[in-house]
Amino acid sequence: MHHNREGMNRQKAMASAALCACFVTLLVLTLTTAATGPQVTVITGATVIDGTGRAPIRGGVVVIEGDRIKTVGRAGKVKWPRDAQVVEAAGMYVVPGLIDMHTHYREWQGELFLAHGITSVKDLGNPVEWISALSRMQVAGQLRGPRLFFVGNNLDASPPEGDHHIGIANSSDIERAVRLLHQLGVTAIKVRHKVTPDQLAEITKAAHALDLPVTGHLGKTDAMEAAQSGLDGLEHATGVARAASKMPGQVKTDAKGLAVFLEDLRGFSQMDKAKETALIKKLVEKRVALIPTLAVRRRILLDTELARQEDSKYARDPSLAYVPESVRRHWIEAPVEQKILEAFRGAEMDMMRKGYRRLERFVREFHRAGGLVLAGSDNLNGVPGITLHRELESLVAAGLEPYHALRAATHSAARFLNRRDLGSIEPGQIADMLVVRANPLDNIRHLREIEKVFQGGQLIEIRFQPDYALPPSRPQLVRPLYLERLLAESN
């Protein structure tokens, strides 16, 4: 018994000593962390284009503390800790991280977006359970890629056509679908082409009650009706041609296959100037944003071979072997573009080019009237990341100044997403920034000359990694979809 008590006492003493040691270690770590604080990074010497509308700061200094911007100012007027990591950027330019406002995200795209300076994207349609999981992985640091803002499953009149679309048959469906999508973390609600003006009005009412914007790929509802029904964003400038046409009944919105491209541009070629002016006035009054996705049309009509050659270089890069072979082959061959060029010739191509020029004029006049233009690339027909640069260049070709094109992918984009902490270089903002080697305000193509990318205050590796860790792939969808099952359970 005596020996047992001694053994027990020794065990208690050892446990107590171990506990004290753990406590001391924890205290030291806590005091060390408190003493050192978060990592401080300083970018010095560059011209800072902050995205707010203020004049660029030449010889600027940006101080990053943790994931936030702490100070922005001129050299000599900004102080920072002695142990800060200093990034010398003399002769270069600092701009906010880019936001692509129209993407279709796939699991292999993350590195490509980051390498081209896109630190955030708005995904316009995927199964909500999959894209929300990827978004959480990115936030947790388990997915190297852009911040993922998403709409989840698109809403359409029944029966739905797209693989992830959800059919809404009545007011109850609308209310429950919007509520469930909100609970699953969507940034906006997206509607599709069969939605009627009355259905759209109900959707926007339900979404706005939850502080969610509504964006749409329209068909049956034209842009004037959509503005009256409360729509917040026009994807692809859909609905514009019908609303501004002398003969709206002749603008086809139900074309399939290659005819979609033909009828899209035919509609713009038929717009009436007076009706176009009235539509712009209404859209600006109702604060409807325009996401025109010009570059996907421009690529086919004007830049097919140039884009194909550029994409082919990425297809042959051995560091991108993790990109599916079918995608890399698509970059080399550009099959969709080639089929369109083979199918439509002569008068049809002339008409489509006329339609594209009319769309460019609409974007230019909308912008000049005070309308909000956002940059979205619709990235499935090209290399993700490059597609947004092409969109910015297309906006400038349409008549926007480089600065306004840059705003369309930074400050303006963040405001549409209801994110006041992104899209500009100001104290308190999340530190998403690019360092580029030449002035993008002189030439928007200079945005491609990326030296460094910061995301959440961290300097991001922009070389491609052959062992890039892919997240779970987009699932093959079988009905009833996950959201459809949730809707049935909540009925």
Side-chain angles (χ1 to χ4, degrees):
M1 289 291 292
H2 177 71
H3 293 297
N4 287 343
R5 280 197 301 271
E6 284 185 349
M8 291 174 65
N9 288 336
R10 281 198 299 270
Q11 289 176 356
K12 286 180 181 179
M14 291 171 63
S16 178
L19 184 61
C20 288
C22 287
F23 176 76
V24 170
T25 302
L26 181 62
L27 181 61
V28 169
L29 288 172
T30 301
L31 291 173
T32 302
T33 302
T36 59
Q39 170 67 44
V40 176
T41 302
V42 183
I43 305 172
T44 67
T47 297
V48 180
I49 302 168
D50 68 11
T52 67
R54 290 188 287 261
I57 303 172
R58 301 188 184 281
V61 176
V62 181
V63 179
I64 303 167
E65 187 174 278
D67 68 344
R68 300 275 170 166
I69 297 167
K70 183 175 177 62
T71 315
V72 183
R74 294 189 184 280
K77 296 186 177 181
V78 176
K79 296 181 180 180
W80 61 84
R82 229 178 248 181
D83 60 350
Q85 177 185 354
V86 177
V87 176
E88 298 287 353
M92 299 188 191
Y93 297 80
V94 180
V95 300
L98 303 179
I99 305 172
D100 191 331
M101 290 294 283
H102 190 120
T103 69
H104 296 278
Y105 199 81
R106 296 295 184 265
E107 62 276 3
W108 48 267
Q109 294 177 354
E111 276 199 326
L112 284 156
F113 277 119
L114 289 178
H116 294 97
I118 291 84
T119 52
S120 298
V121 302
K122 171 171 138 261
D123 178 76
L124 262 295
N126 266 306
V128 68
E129 69 277 15
W130 178 73
I131 195 66
S132 62
L134 265 58
S135 179
R136 290 192 298 273
M137 289 178 66
Q138 194 280 331
V139 170
Q142 299 167 345
L143 170 59
R144 207 170 82 82
R147 302 176 195 281
L148 289 167
F149 300 97
F150 56 94
V151 301
N153 303 78
N154 294 186
L155 303 185
D156 205 354
S158 294
E161 294 180 4
D163 69 342
H164 66 276
H165 298 177
I166 300 296
I168 48 171
N170 51 51
S171 300
S172 178
D173 283 351
I174 290 171
E175 182 76 30
R176 287 182 291 118
V178 169
R179 186 178 68 251
L180 284 169
L181 286 167
H182 176 256
Q183 291 170 356
L184 291 164
V186 303
T187 304
I189 300 295
K190 184 182 176 187
V191 298
R192 292 292 303 194
H193 63 284
K194 293 192 297 182
V195 164
T196 66
D198 288 343
Q199 290 173 322
L200 179 56
E202 290 190 70
I203 291 168
T204 58
K205 181 180 178 181
H208 291 168
L210 298 170
D211 203 26
L212 290 174
V214 179
T215 195
H217 183 148
L218 302 180
K220 187 171 288 188
T221 300
D222 69 39
M224 184 69 82
E225 293 168 328
Q228 298 282 22
S229 298
L231 189 76
D232 301 288
L234 284 173
E235 304 293 340
H236 311 296
T238 49
V240 166
R242 277 192 64 218
S245 176
K246 292 179 182 177
M247 298 171 286
Q250 293 186 13
V251 178
K252 295 182 181 179
T253 60
D254 57 353
K256 305 295 181 187
L258 297 182
V260 170
F261 190 80
L262 176 70
E263 298 303 334
D264 169 56
L265 290 169
R266 190 198 303 278
F268 290 118
S269 74
Q270 296 172 349
M271 291 198 296
D272 173 72
K273 179 59 179 172
K275 294 187 75 172
E276 181 182 350
T277 301
L279 174 61
I280 287 173
K281 182 179 179 182
K282 179 60 66 176
L283 293 175
V284 173
E285 173 194 327
K286 294 291 187 178
R287 303 178 71 180
V288 180
L290 181 68
I291 308 97
T293 61
L294 293 173
V296 290
R297 291 138 165 155
R298 182 181 178 88
R299 173 186 174 123
I300 295 170
L301 295 171
L302 303 172
D303 296 333
T304 303
E305 186 56 25
L306 179 65
R308 189 193 66 77
Q309 289 177 5
E310 193 170 46
D311 290 352
S312 293
K313 294 177 183 177
Y314 290 84
R316 295 184 171 95
D317 187 334
S319 297
L320 290 171
Y322 62 79
V323 175
E325 183 183 352
S326 60
V327 173
R328 286 182 281 120
R329 188 169 61 249
H330 188 107
W331 293 346
I332 293 171
E333 298 172 0
V336 174
E337 291 82 356
Q338 293 303 325
K339 286 178 182 177
I340 289 172
L341 292 174
E342 291 167 6
F344 307 121
R345 298 177 181 274
E348 287 179 325
M349 286 301 297
D350 290 342
M351 179 274 296
M352 288 195 288
R353 289 193 178 97
K354 177 186 175 184
Y356 181 72
R357 295 305 184 194
R358 291 289 284 109
L359 173 57
E360 284 187 313
R361 189 178 85 177
F362 181 86
V363 173
R364 180 169 63 250
E365 294 301 320
F366 175 78
H367 167 69
R368 289 175 178 173
L372 181 65
V373 178
L374 304 177
S377 73
D378 198 12
N379 63 302
L380 284 182
N381 268 14
V383 175
I386 291 182
T387 51
L388 183 64
H389 288 279
R390 290 174 184 154
E391 181 66 14
L392 295 173
E393 291 153 19
S394 298
L395 289 173
V396 171
L400 273 67
E401 293 295 324
Y403 177 70
H404 291 115
L406 176 61
R407 290 252 304 182
T410 54
H411 188 274
S412 298
R415 296 306 172 267
F416 185 89
L417 296 170
N418 288 326
R419 289 297 296 260
R420 300 277 170 183
D421 57 354
L422 284 175
S424 61
I425 302 176
E426 301 176 90
Q429 296 285 90
I430 291 175
D432 286 6
M433 291 176 289
L434 315 182
V435 179
V436 296
R437 291 183 288 274
N439 189 353
L441 303 188
D442 290 341
N443 185 334
I444 195 66
R445 284 187 64 86
H446 290 163
L447 273 179
R448 293 178 179 235
E449 298 182 32
I450 295 170
E451 180 72 18
K452 296 185 185 300
V453 175
F454 291 85
Q455 185 187 45
Q458 298 296 311
L459 184 59
I460 299 297
E461 174 61 71
I462 57 176
R463 291 175 300 178
F464 303 126
Q465 307 298 310
D467 58 349
Y468 176 58
L470 294 177
S473 59
R474 187 182 193 269
Q476 293 292 324
L477 300 182
V478 178
R479 295 190 186 273
L481 305 178
Y482 173 75
L483 187 59
E484 289 173 330
R485 296 197 296 272
L486 291 183
L487 283 168
E489 290 169 7
S490 65
N491 196 347

